[in-house]
Amino acid sequence: MADALSLMIDQNLLRQAADLYAIGADRRDKALWRQVLAEECVIEGPGFITQGRDACLQSIDALDHMYRATRHAVQQQVVAIDEDAAVGETYCAASHLLRDRDAILVWAIRYQDAWRRDDEGWRFTRRSLLLDWTETRPVNAGTSINLFKDMTL
């Protein structure tokens, strides 16, 4: 029973890392990313690779420059845990509100993830962004953009 409980706790903590990553991106909150990225973290995707936590944190500035707002909705996640290491796949629908018109660019993402547990919790050591498809559609951009940007978690 203790092993099953430990597994459920770790699964929940790994999901929380993915959720905090998404919220950090949307709020442009580097402190949240700092909580979940290992010092040696690598984030890669179509046409880019970023190595090291400090370099990865600069991706937040790039998001702010490229889009008026983003909304990353974390969906299902499957993980395999081996003591203080884990690998898994995390699905995400990432909506990007374009700067030049009232439209969103939606990415259907599958992250291939690797984590390491340290004294402060589970941290991503690698996030490989696999882009299944994109969609661009018009949107009515409301006035509540970044309403919760400064909320503390």
Side-chain angles (χ1 to χ4, degrees):
M1 181 67 158
D3 288 342
L5 182 57
S6 293
L7 176 63
M8 289 173 52
I9 290 169
D10 283 337
Q11 289 170 330
N12 185 58
L13 292 171
L14 291 166
R15 171 59 191 245
Q16 184 179 29
D19 290 342
L20 290 175
Y21 180 96
I23 293 168
D26 295 341
R27 294 188 186 163
R28 311 302 190 252
D29 188 335
K30 292 180 183 181
L32 284 179
W33 270 28
R34 210 174 275 289
Q35 287 179 38
V36 298
L37 298 181
E39 186 68 37
E40 72 280 9
C41 184
V42 174
I43 300 174
E44 63 182 327
F48 74 90
I49 184 164
T50 308
Q51 299 180 340
R53 181 171 48 211
D54 289 339
C56 290
L57 291 174
Q58 298 311 307
S59 300
I60 296 227
D61 297 330
L63 282 174
D64 200 41
H65 178 73
M66 294 186 304
Y67 306 107
R68 286 188 276 171
T70 57
R71 184 169 185 194
H72 292 73
V74 179
Q75 298 163 332
Q76 68 265 31
Q77 182 183 69
V78 178
V79 298
I81 302 166
D82 183 12
E83 297 184 12
D84 290 334
V87 295
E89 184 170 71
T90 305
Y91 280 57
C92 178
S95 299
H96 306 79
L97 183 59
L98 301 178
R99 287 213 170 270
D100 61 347
R101 63 188 198 273
D102 283 346
I104 56 171
L105 169 63
V106 182
W107 289 6
I109 297 171
R110 284 180 296 120
Y111 288 107
Q112 302 291 302
D113 292 322
W115 296 266
R116 171 181 47 78
R117 182 184 1 227
D118 63 20
D119 292 340
E120 297 186 24
W122 287 101
R123 296 180 185 267
F124 289 103
T125 57
R126 179 175 287 278
R127 290 210 97 182
S128 298
L129 185 160
L130 303 176
L131 190 56
D132 287 335
W133 65 79
T134 66
E135 173 187 9
T136 303
R137 63 178 180 250
V139 66
N140 180 3
T143 58
S144 64
I145 295 173
N146 293 325
L147 180 65
F148 299 106
K149 183 176 184 178
D150 297 324
M151 179 185 268
T152 303
L153 294 179

